Amino acid sequence: MSHWSRYDTDEERLPEGMQRIGYDADTQTYTFRDSDGSIWESAPGNQYGQLHRVSSGTQDDATESPHDTPDEPPTSWRHDMMPLLNWFLLVGLFLLFIFWFIGGTSKRVYPTTCRDHSSPYKIRTGDTCWAIAEEHRVRLESVLQHNQGLDCDKLAVGGTVCIPRV
């Protein structure tokens, strides 16, 4: 069983009479010439493998450019930009997820109905539980007792707090 390595020679890898004559680093294609003078190119990025004929060994093909391949349709800009489209799609989905996550963490303000022995107070910017209790001359413990689950560190502006009547 043979083992392939990068040091195999062209004589071992190419058909008889085929000779490598060049390499284009821009398109990453290898150019070969066979025994009758025809020019062949490899697929971009492949050193060996499927070859396609660029020109035949006759004189009338000598004026033809070695990069003109009439049997292959030209690639469109969409084909060339497809990897970027995938990248931008992933970045867009990531940003959409981040904005959804950040927007979903904001607390929504639901209206609160107060019982008979309390009156509603609408929270303004800068209000704290202590300031609300002081303003209405009630104890902070009674404000917290009338508003079960109230988090004084996260008062929502526009929300409602029930203030016990004295």
Side-chain angles (χ1 to χ4, degrees), residues 39-41 52-56 64-70:
I39 305 294
W40 297 76
E41 280 189 352
H52 63 275
R53 184 187 305 256
V54 177
S55 68
S56 63
E64 188 177 318
S65 171
H67 295 289
D68 291 339
T69 54

Side-chain angles (χ1 to χ4, degrees), residues 152-164:
C152 289
D153 293 329
K154 297 179 183 178
L155 291 178
V157 175
T160 305
V161 176
C162 296
I163 306 297

